[in-house]
Amino acid sequence: MNITVIGTGYVGLVTGACFSEMGNIVYCVDVDENKIKSLKNGIIPIYEQHLKRIVNNNYNNRNLIFTTELKEGLQNSDICFIAVGTPMAEDGCADLSVVFQVAKNIGQIMTNDLIVVTKSTVPVGTGHKIRKIIQKELDKRNVNYNFEMVSNPEFLKEGTAVEDSMRPDRVIIGSEDEKTINTIKELYAPYVKNHDRFIVMDIRSAEMSKYASNAMLATRISFMNEVANICEKVGADINKVRLGVGSDNRIGYSFLYAGCGYGGSCFPKDVSALIKTGEIAGYSPKILNEVENVNNEQKMVLVNKIKEKFGEDLSNLSFGLWGLSFKPGTDDMREAPSIVIINELIESGATIKAYDPKAREPAEAIFVNNQNIEFCDNKYDALDDSDGLIIVTEWNEFRSPDFNEISNRLNNKLIFDGRNQFDKEVLNKIGFEYYQIGA
Ligand SMILES: NC(=O)c1ccc[n+]([C@@H]2O[C@H](COP(=O)([O-])OP(=O)(O)OC[C@H]3O[C@@H](n4cnc5c(N)ncnc54)[C@H](O)[C@@H]3O)[C@@H](O)[C@H]2O)c1
């Protein structure tokens, strides 16, 4: 099939690349000229495992075309995916301005029948608004192309985005048109070969399914963080409690890790947007508001432990910090808890030496001109002259570090671990003062 994907970010680029990998011709359209230029030169603007190989192979095979011209994509396509950003607006709602702009452009430019698929995460009712916008533009042009709207929310996870796209848990198709549903099924068939993973529903329910999924995952995290905070007060160990809870197969082990809060480009904005959707519709969400509140407080838990140890004033103290991205496997710094933690420590007088395997560049852009943070090329270099190690993101390379090297480099054998990577007893035995979350 011939496909246009509008928006070449974390979702659009991975989606486009994975569609092209199965032999489709895919036009990846973006307004960011530098991004398109880089991609044409084989430079992938984000880090995601396996992505570079797939993008470069398919670009060279001419299955994958990068362009800033929406017209070039649309006039050659039967299906068009909208994968632009829907960030949090100031009032907490999803900012749909780019989605609506793209809808208008589609209506102004399309020259043939088209299936328009929303992959961006959008509040309930957006698909119907997009349909109206496109139709209005077609009416203005006095042309009558057939177009069908589909909601096909994306469930890929940054860090495993290519694998998730190649083997999705489910493909939700929000549409009421039988022919359109079959076309989308045909497109996804190679990715769900071993058993049927299609779930077909109306557009509104499909839109809500995405928000409900992210809100459920965020709720599990905040719930476990809350239990972890109680554990600390009463002398229980959240690491053991997690095993006791997760072994119930009605609950399962996924997303039960206590830590220093969730971040990223999705959970914070999607929980907020769902709260707003409820409020606008006349329902005031209770659980979701507390999920947000617990998470905001959780980002401060490590900072509070550091202050309990050293006092409120952290002047003349320096900390090595491992992990900047909001989760391992990605360079994405959007809403990363590390930003809150670093700002708070610097505000209290400390200096930071930070290391991240992939997120150095975007992190440097965030802390540009800040003299109190230095970025290191190597995890151990971040420990030189530091008064303690802080772990914020659980990259694999932090899981079995050389503790001799750590103690040789640090001023104090002191670790504040926001991701509970190590066994407290083992670390205490080798002389480390070790603080974790909920134990
Ligand atoms: N990142 C994730 O893990 C993830 C997972 C599932 C769903 N989503 C949802 O997918 C959507 C996209 O997220 P993302 O993380 O890929 O965003 P992103 O910010 O990485 O990418 C958006 C891209 O759209 C481009 N763009 C902006 N205006 C445009 C226009 N008028 N025409 C063409 N391109 C334009 C931007 O230049 C950018 O490259 C969001 O709604 C998000 O909630 C994201």
Side-chain angles (χ1 to χ4, degrees):
M1 289 187 201
N2 286 11
I3 299 163
T4 292
V5 179
I6 307 174
T8 312
Y10 283 87
V11 166
L13 182 57
V14 172
T15 303
C18 292
F19 281 145
S20 71
E21 179 76 356
M22 293 296 179
N24 298 293
I25 304 294
V26 181
Y27 292 81
C28 276
V29 182
D30 205 289
V31 284
D32 184 337
E33 286 178 12
N34 289 333
K35 192 176 268 191
I36 293 300
K37 204 167 148 197
S38 299
L39 285 161
K40 284 180 173 175
N41 288 324
I43 300 162
I44 312 298
I46 55 169
Y47 173 72
E48 196 56 60
Q49 220 185 2
H50 311 304
L51 187 59
K52 192 174 168 61
R53 176 183 54 80
I54 297 185
V55 168
N56 290 343
N57 281 352
N58 287 289
Y59 179 70
N60 292 335
N61 292 343
R62 300 180 186 205
N63 282 0
L64 192 55
I65 296 126
F66 295 111
T67 177
T68 53
E69 292 300 321
L70 180 58
K71 193 173 181 181
E72 187 187 345
L74 287 190
Q75 67 191 9
N76 290 303
S77 297
D78 322 301
I79 308 178
C80 150
F81 283 84
I82 300 176
V84 294
T86 49
M88 198 193 302
E90 260 179 31
D91 61 359
C93 291
D95 179 348
L96 297 174
S97 51
V98 178
V99 170
F100 292 151
Q101 181 58 50
V102 163
K104 193 171 173 186
N105 295 343
I106 293 171
Q108 288 167 336
I109 288 172
M110 65 190 271
T111 50
N112 43 280
D113 293 351
L114 196 64
I115 297 175
V116 179
V117 186
T118 316
K119 208 165 238 320
S120 299
T121 303
V122 293
V124 174
T126 306
H128 291 83
K129 287 182 186 160
I130 294 174
R131 193 202 309 262
K132 275 193 189 152
I133 294 171
I134 295 175
Q135 190 58 56
K136 193 173 161 193
E137 293 306 317
L138 292 179
D139 291 347
K140 274 193 211 163
R141 291 167 59 199
N142 215 3
V143 291
N144 196 15
Y145 300 116
N146 243 329
F147 73 97
E148 284 295 337
M149 283 305 304
V150 177
S151 167
N152 170 225
E154 181 53 61
F155 293 98
L156 64 74
K157 303 179 286 297
E158 285 178 28
T160 53
V162 171
E163 280 162 51
D164 294 343
S165 296
M166 287 300 197
R167 266 182 292 277
D169 289 339
R170 75 290 216 191
V171 177
I172 292 186
I173 304 173
S175 168
E176 279 111 57
D177 183 71
E178 206 58 40
K179 191 166 163 236
T180 304
I181 293 165
N182 287 336
T183 305
I184 300 297
K185 280 187 174 177
E186 205 182 305
L187 173 65
Y188 276 108
Y191 306 90
V192 293
K193 263 212 155 351
N194 58 354
H195 68 268
D196 189 348
R197 288 164 190 262
F198 294 114
I199 305 173
V200 179
M201 58 181 80
D202 59 281
I203 293 179
R204 285 173 184 274
S205 303
E207 290 168 337
M208 181 56 98
S209 297
K210 174 64 190 175
Y211 281 103
S213 298
N214 275 358
M216 168 68 93
L217 294 170
T219 302
R220 280 173 77 109
I221 296 173
S222 279
F223 175 84
M224 286 308 278
N225 283 335
E226 183 150 283
V227 174
N229 295 335
I230 300 172
C231 281
E232 281 189 22
K233 299 270 182 221
V234 297
D237 180 341
I238 192 69
N239 302 303
K240 293 173 184 153
V241 173
R242 183 182 67 81
L243 298 175
V245 172
S247 55
D248 184 330
N249 61 19
R250 292 169 304 176
I251 298 173
Y253 292 103
S254 304
F255 269 79
L256 288 190
Y257 288 93
C260 46
Y262 63 75
S265 67
C266 292
F267 288 1
K269 80 170 173 64
D270 291 348
V271 170
S272 171
L274 186 53
I275 291 171
K276 289 292 166 188
T277 297
E279 285 173 357
I280 291 165
Y283 176 80
S284 169
K286 288 132 201 105
I287 294 174
L288 296 176
N289 273 307
E290 289 311 317
V291 167
E292 254 188 359
N293 291 338
V294 168
N295 193 56
N296 290 336
E297 284 182 22
Q298 199 65 21
K299 293 181 193 166
M300 291 301 295
V301 169
L302 269 190
V303 176
N304 293 340
K305 284 176 192 283
I306 293 166
K307 288 187 172 177
E308 267 168 40
K309 170 78 185 162
F310 290 104
E312 286 294 316
D313 183 2
L314 303 177
S315 306
N316 302 321
L317 290 167
S318 176
F319 295 97
L321 188 142
W322 288 359
L324 294 160
S325 55
F326 85 92
K327 68 185 237 185
T330 179
D331 59 349
D332 198 344
M333 284 294 295
R334 290 178 285 186
E335 301 281 332
S338 66
I339 301 172
V340 176
I341 293 168
I342 291 169
N343 279 333
E344 201 59 39
L345 293 173
I346 290 177
E347 196 114 304
S348 304
T351 55
I352 304 292
K353 285 187 179 176
Y355 168 75
D356 187 285
K358 297 289 175 196
R360 177 178 177 153
E361 218 176 284
E364 276 179 333
I366 290 170
F367 293 103
V368 67
N369 296 332
N370 193 326
Q371 308 298 319
N372 297 308
I373 180 164
E374 181 190 326
F375 293 91
C376 302
D377 294 332
N378 170 301
K379 61 178 178 282
Y380 296 115
D381 290 350
L383 308 180
D384 290 334
D385 299 320
S386 292
D387 298 289
L389 162 63
I390 302 168
I391 300 175
V392 181
T393 313
E394 68 279 30
W395 283 91
N396 281 344
E397 68 170 90
F398 305 152
R399 284 174 193 246
S400 297
D402 179 344
F403 287 105
N404 284 330
E405 186 74 22
I406 294 179
S407 67
N408 289 341
R409 300 273 194 131
L410 282 177
N411 293 342
N412 310 308
K413 290 174 83 170
L414 181 58
I415 300 177
F416 297 93
D417 183 354
R419 300 294 170 189
N420 294 6
Q421 293 297 282
F422 312 123
D423 185 319
K424 195 171 192 165
E425 274 178 32
V426 173
L427 260 75
N428 289 159
K429 255 188 208 150
I430 57 172
F432 276 90
E433 203 174 324
Y434 178 58
Y435 296 90
Q436 49 181 347
I437 309 278

